[in-house]
Structures are given as C-alpha cells and as structure tokens.
Amino acid sequence: MTQVVDRQARIDARARDKFQARRDELAMATLTTLAELGYARTSLREIAQNSEYSHGVLHYYFTDKLDLIAHAVRQYEAVCVTRYDEVVANATTADELRDDFAETFFAGMRSEASIHRLWYDLRNQSMFDDSFRADVVEIESRREEMIWRVVDRFCELSGTQPAVTPAVAYIGLDGIFQRGLLSEIDGRPEGVALARDELTGFFDIVGRR
C-alpha cells in the first residue's frame, strides 16, 4: 500500500512540475507581447491574438491576465535581479565598478525598454489593485538588495562607508533609471545623457570617508 501511495505521490509531483514549467515557458514567451500592450490594454484574448498561443491554452494555465502578468514579471525579475552580480564580482577598483555598472545599466535600458516599462506600469497599478501587490513588494525588496550589493562593493573598493541606506540607494538609482527610460522611449538622447551624469553623481556621494 505504501509503495502505491509513494508512486502516486511521485506522479502527482511530476505533473505539478510539468504544469509549473509550462506556466514559466508561456509567461516568458508572452512577455514581449505583454510589454508592448501594457497593463490596461492586455487581456488573455489580446495576448493570444498577438502570440503563437491560443486563448484556450493561456486560459488553461493562467486564471486571468493578472495571473499571467505577475508570473511573467516574476520570471523576468528572477534573471534581472542578478544582472549586476558579475560586475560586482569582477571589479577590482571603484572606478571600474562604477563604469561597468553604468554600461550594464544603460545597455539594459536600451535593449529591454518595453519590458522595463511593463514593470513600472505594473508597480503603479498595484497602488489600485491589491491582487498582485505582494508580488510587487517582493520584487521591490529583491531589487533593493541587488542595488545594495553594488553600493556596498563600491564603498569597499573606494575605502569609504555607505553614506546612504539601502532604501535610499535603491530609490535614487531607480529614479535615475526611470527618468532615463522615459527619455529612451521618448527618443530624447539628451535625457539619457543627463541620466548618465546623474548616475556618476550618485556614485560621487554614495560613500563617506
């Protein structure tokens, strides 16, 4: 009897893993469509019309658009929150860390502008809709930790102590990124250049001796 129960448990576990893997695959595959449409204009049917997946398939794996959007953003952020870790690990001087961080910062802004726009859209919507607010709060916390790893290593390399808290560091860099992203989307290179100057300024004041 125990063997039968164990066998069924293994079958059930494999089925759950397969279902979850399919959700992950669909979420990432439809992320670009989600990013192009934005929160307000997105429905499962609209996503299906703009992707290779049928409405029935999406509806089977996701309860509604909120379920799909939140899952897609979590999947993306799982990769995104480690994007600067290599920069932190490889830097041998404070200047090198600052410069490599800036290159990665603005490269991501250019290449993934629509996806970053979706994140800010979703974060704003969480002010009004509590169905995915917990996901947004969790992602914000992980992003803050990511930024703090950069700041902490920069201060270590420059022989300084952090002059800001983790929350202030995150708010500052997130604000620079959001303003630069708006300039990128709006086709204003002068705004992106200003964001670069602001990023340099941030590192100038982040540590105190």
Side-chain angles (χ1 to χ4, degrees), residues 24-87:
D24 294 347
E25 177 188 344
L26 289 169
M28 290 305 292
T30 58
L31 187 58
T32 301
T33 298
L34 289 169
E36 291 299 329
L37 294 173
Y39 176 87
R41 293 191 296 141
T42 297
S43 67
L44 289 184
R45 189 172 301 280
E46 190 72 24
I47 295 168
Q49 290 175 351
N50 287 273
S51 71
E52 61 183 290
Y53 302 102
S54 70
H55 177 256
V57 167
L58 294 178
H59 192 67
Y60 176 77
Y61 286 97
F62 299 97
T63 305
D64 51 28
K65 76 170 184 177
L66 295 179
D67 187 20
L68 175 54
I69 291 174
H71 194 75
V73 171
R74 283 197 302 270
Q75 287 293 106
Y76 173 69
E77 284 298 317
V79 177
C80 182
V81 295
T82 61
R83 69 166 62 241
Y84 301 119
D85 286 358
E86 186 175 350
V87 171

Side-chain angles (χ1 to χ4, degrees), residues 10 12 19 21-22 34 40 55 58 146 173 184 191 197 204:
R10 289 195 298 271
D12 291 344
F19 184 85
R22 184 60 169 160
L34 289 169
H55 177 256
L58 294 178
M146 169 185 68
L173 285 179
E184 179 71 31
D197 291 340
D204 286 342

Side-chain angles (χ1 to χ4, degrees), residues 110-121:
R110 288 191 304 272
S111 64
E112 300 170 342
S114 60
I115 297 176
H116 290 302
R117 179 176 62 182
L118 175 64
W119 157 246
Y120 287 114
D121 188 12

